[in-house]
Amino acid sequence: MLRQDGERIGLRPNFSILDSDDVLGILRDAGGCSDNALARRWQWTISGWKNQGLDGDGAERAAADEDERVAARIMRRYEERLAAFQAVDFDDLIGLPLALLQRDEAARMAWRGRFRHVLVDEVQDTNAVQYELLKALVGPDGCFTAVGDDDQSIYGWRGATIDNLRRLPQDYPTLKLIALEQNYRSTGHILRAANAVIANNPKIFEKQLWSEFGDGEPVRVIECDGEEHEADRAVAHIQALRAQGGEVAWGDFAILYRANHLARAFEQKLRAAQIPYRVSGGQSYFERAEIKDLCAWLRLLVNPDDDPAFLRAVTTPKRGIGHQTLATLGEFAAKARTSLFEALFSPSLAALLRGKAIDALHQFGREVDELAQRARHTQGGGPARALLMQWLQDIDYEQHLHDGEDSEKLAAARWANVLDFVDWIARRCDGEDGQTTSVLEVAQTISVIISLAERGDEADVITLSTLHAAKGLEWPHVMLAGVNEGLLPFRSGDEEMTAERLQEERRLMYVGITRARRTLVVSTLRRRKRGRETVPGVKSRFIAEMKLDEVRARQDPRERLRLLRAELAAREPVAPAG
């Protein structure tokens, strides 16, 4: 919508889309700080305001304290920079189309006429601006289908509001409600536990899940002495199920938890047992800031018109090119309808920028051109490695990493990642069958190479994941780990547990339970780590809410004996998998 009609609201067609790290850099500059944690707080606060439909002025009026008033002032400066750079962030990709439809009747009617039907999935996860965009797109008599589940609204912390589900029948009185209660994933025992937990929350739309798969295995609750014991039990449980025979793959298992730090013990034990795994929702190698810095330079070698890559490369490392210089360059490029890189070579730019500012831009342009020329003619792993190391030395990138970190250890770790990346490119320049490849040719395919390197959907590995990242996924065998008060439901320090927070945490438990298809193990800790302390573990209230004792009372005694034997066997030491 913005590429086609963005000019109606002052946006040129080849605007840049900034990712999270690009935004962070601009906010640090706008706030005149080098504190990433502070800039990240500004970023979350500004994103929250944008999701409510507020601009900088509206945010300042809504600010509740001095910290928020500072963030609102930063937001205004940030908006000025985005306009000057002709750039948008991810939140703008919702907010600006809404502004287009609200302000421009011709565009609004054209876009409404373009779609006969609109489907909105996961409507319970929409924020206020997304809901208004739906209304603007479909009009008062809109023909649309909204698919949602009020029991799976778990993203309130990032602006989603369950009120959008509540508003739908009010805003569209002729809305027809179709309840989808048959579950095609889980067995009866799992669904009854899920229904029992979520019954404690107030309902917008009543439903009761059921399945044709039969009762299946009862849900098991295990108590562990601590995090390491819990991880040992998980490994033993997985190996025991695989030892029973049948087609049980590593990829059939998932271990889910409320917070990322709970993955550490499981990773250690799985590695010790030589069991393959992946951590879902963790930071990818290619998402590290230092790797994205180098990829921005390589993208610019291939496509000088890549404005987001230009903005990242020209400021990494810093070379005396400030936001005012870039704002002037952005305005000049917008008027000339050209890219930022092409604009810096224009003779007319000298009328707007002088002295050190234009000298620094020209120096950067020469560095990119020279590197592109050398990359085009440098083939093979050895020469490629030498070229890249010389370039990193020329721009003093190692010192840039040390300047940006308080810890020498962290800076050294980031530099080690850079050296790994150089080796990664060099190996690809060696090619196959003795056919060497140039650095530029590798750069041309770097997006595809990174995409392939990150693919793992087909891999036969155990998944470790937060509950939030697991939403929408499913596995035959699931373990919910760390189901304790303070972890699930999560509570930080002396923070008050409001009714709304507790309801969202209960929905998160419901989501975790319903990821399981055949077996579900719920694990709780007798002792757990809290910071550097070890504190008594209190079983989560959600375990009692599952009403598993009622299921056990109805269970066949022979079945209970079989499960008890299986549990005792799982506690025995199991030899590592080969």
Side-chain angles (χ1 to χ4, degrees):
M1 291 174 72
L2 294 178
R3 294 288 184 205
Q4 182 171 318
D5 282 342
E7 287 183 288
R8 291 174 175 267
I9 52 172
L11 200 63
R12 61 180 171 133
N14 58 335
F15 62 84
S16 302
I17 302 172
L18 305 182
D19 68 14
S20 179
D21 279 348
D22 297 327
V23 169
L24 194 65
I26 294 174
L27 288 175
R28 282 200 309 265
D29 185 55
C33 85
S34 58
D35 185 345
N36 272 342
L38 176 59
R40 188 72 73 187
R41 288 198 294 275
W42 290 338
Q43 188 174 9
W44 274 97
T45 303
I46 291 170
S47 177
W49 280 329
K50 285 192 173 191
N51 288 337
Q52 295 171 44
L54 300 176
D55 60 10
D57 293 333
E60 188 153 24
R61 289 191 294 271
D65 53 36
E66 183 58 28
D67 286 343
E68 289 195 356
R69 281 188 283 276
V70 170
R73 289 195 290 272
I74 299 297
M75 183 176 182
R76 281 207 302 274
R77 294 178 204 163
Y78 173 61
E79 290 171 336
E80 291 168 2
R81 283 159 173 73
L82 289 186
F85 297 160
Q86 280 291 295
V88 302
D89 60 25
F90 291 141
D91 293 318
D92 292 328
L93 296 180
I94 303 297
L96 291 177
L98 174 59
L100 170 71
L101 297 179
Q102 288 178 334
R103 297 175 194 172
D104 192 308
E105 184 178 3
R108 181 168 63 249
M109 299 314 294
W111 283 103
R112 283 182 183 174
R114 187 165 175 169
F115 305 112
R116 281 188 65 193
H117 304 282
V118 173
L119 169 66
V120 186
D121 196 19
E122 305 284 14
V123 72
Q124 79 279 353
D125 295 331
T126 56
N127 58 42
V129 174
Q130 289 168 326
Y131 185 77
E132 291 303 318
L133 179 60
L134 167 66
K135 290 174 65 179
L137 195 58
V138 302
D141 304 317
C143 186
F144 68 90
T145 298
V147 184
D149 182 355
D150 51 323
D151 292 333
Q152 295 194 51
S153 179
I154 60 173
Y155 295 115
W157 51 276
R158 70 179 190 196
T161 172
I162 200 171
D163 285 340
N164 290 346
L165 261 179
R166 196 174 282 112
R167 288 176 60 188
L168 274 173
Q170 298 168 6
D171 292 340
Y172 296 93
T174 59
L175 191 74
K176 181 179 180 181
L177 181 64
I178 302 171
L180 303 177
E181 296 181 302
Q182 183 173 359
N183 180 287
Y184 298 90
R185 173 188 297 153
S186 307
T187 59
H189 278 310
I190 293 169
L191 292 183
R192 279 195 289 274
N195 286 332
V197 167
I198 207 64
N200 293 277
N201 270 7
K203 294 286 187 180
I204 296 178
F205 303 112
E206 287 290 341
K207 68 177 185 302
Q208 191 77 7
L209 297 183
W210 61 275
S211 166
E212 289 183 341
F213 294 147
D215 282 348
E217 297 276 353
V219 177
R220 293 175 54 206
V221 177
I222 59 174
E223 293 189 41
C224 305
D225 292 334
E227 286 86 355
E228 287 198 12
H229 184 219
E230 181 178 49
D232 281 329
R233 294 285 299 274
V235 170
H237 171 66
I238 291 165
Q239 291 175 324
L241 278 177
R242 280 175 57 88
Q244 289 176 10
E247 296 296 323
V248 184
W250 296 121
D252 290 342
F253 296 92
I255 300 172
L256 310 181
Y257 36 79
R258 176 63 175 83
N260 272 312
H261 72 271
L262 295 172
R264 193 173 302 119
F266 293 105
E267 288 193 75
Q268 290 171 346
K269 298 298 183 180
L270 290 169
R271 281 199 302 268
Q274 300 180 45
I275 294 175
Y277 70 90
R278 65 162 168 241
V279 181
S280 177
Q283 187 185 47
S284 156
Y285 174 79
F286 294 101
E287 290 174 345
R288 292 181 168 93
E290 59 272 19
I291 305 303
K292 293 180 81 169
D293 288 345
L294 306 191
C295 285
W297 278 81
L298 295 174
R299 283 163 49 198
L300 200 56
L301 301 187
V302 174
N303 176 19
D305 293 336
D306 186 336
D307 283 353
F310 176 93
L311 289 171
R312 188 172 192 120
V314 78
T315 55
T316 311
K318 292 187 180 299
R319 54 182 66 243
I321 299 174
H323 73 271
Q324 290 292 355
T325 299
L326 291 174
T328 302
L329 178 66
E331 291 168 2
F332 179 84
K335 289 177 183 175
R337 294 181 175 271
T338 187
S339 68
L340 295 171
F341 187 78
E342 188 175 349
L344 69 84
F345 290 110
S346 171
S348 306
L349 186 63
L352 300 173
L353 292 172
R354 293 184 177 83
K356 292 182 180 179
I358 199 163
D359 288 344
L361 284 173
H362 285 163
Q363 176 62 26
F364 173 71
R366 285 192 295 270
E367 286 178 10
V368 172
D369 281 343
E370 289 170 9
L371 183 60
Q373 185 69 12
R374 292 163 64 195
R376 184 175 290 108
H377 298 291
T378 300
Q379 293 194 328
R385 187 176 287 103
L387 167 65
L388 294 171
M389 290 306 297
Q390 182 61 52
W391 161 59
L392 291 170
Q393 183 178 330
D394 290 344
I395 64 174
D396 207 9
Y397 190 76
E398 185 176 9
Q399 186 60 48
H400 162 74
L401 294 179
H402 283 275
D403 291 343
E405 289 289 353
D406 296 330
S407 161
E408 287 293 315
K409 185 177 179 181
L410 286 175
R414 293 182 65 190
W415 178 244
N417 289 335
V418 169
L419 297 181
D420 285 345
F421 186 65
V422 168
D423 288 339
W424 187 79
I425 293 174
R427 285 195 299 272
R428 278 151 185 79
C429 288
D430 275 333
E432 298 176 0
D433 302 324
Q435 296 294 317
T436 58
T437 304
S438 75
V439 174
L440 192 65
E441 287 174 305
V442 172
Q444 286 171 340
T445 59
I446 199 155
S447 294
V448 176
I449 292 171
I450 289 172
S451 174
L452 291 173
E454 290 183 323
R455 279 180 63 187
D457 293 344
E458 300 84 9
D460 185 19
V461 296
I462 289 172
T463 298
L464 305 181
S465 175
T466 62
L467 288 162
H468 284 102
K471 188 169 178 292
L473 304 177
E474 61 182 68
W475 295 269
H477 308 287
V478 169
M479 177 178 182
L480 297 185
V483 186
N484 284 77
E485 291 293 313
L487 293 174
L488 184 63
F490 182 79
R491 184 174 179 178
S492 178
D494 296 328
E495 172 191 32
E496 181 185 357
M497 179 63 73
T498 64
E500 291 77 12
R501 273 286 317 282
L502 179 60
Q503 288 165 17
E504 180 155 328
E505 292 290 307
R506 185 176 283 115
R507 292 193 291 267
L508 197 55
M509 180 71 177
Y510 174 82
V511 165
I513 294 170
T514 53
R515 298 312 92 197
R517 286 163 50 190
R518 290 170 49 197
T519 71
L520 174 65
V521 174
V522 178
S523 174
T524 184
L525 305 171
R526 297 187 185 97
R527 289 181 294 276
R528 69 179 184 89
K529 292 176 182 174
R530 188 171 64 191
R532 295 184 179 181
E533 295 181 304
T534 298
V535 299
V538 178
K539 193 181 296 186
S540 170
R541 69 193 78 185
F542 298 150
I543 292 177
E545 290 178 3
M546 294 168 77
K547 298 184 177 179
L548 299 180
D549 289 338
E550 296 178 15
V551 173
R552 290 194 187 96
R554 296 194 304 267
Q555 192 179 336
D556 187 297
R558 290 169 296 182
E559 178 66 9
R560 292 173 62 188
L561 180 60
R562 189 187 71 77
L563 286 173
L564 180 60
R565 284 174 175 164
E567 183 174 346
L568 291 172
R571 295 188 185 191
E572 294 297 321
V574 180

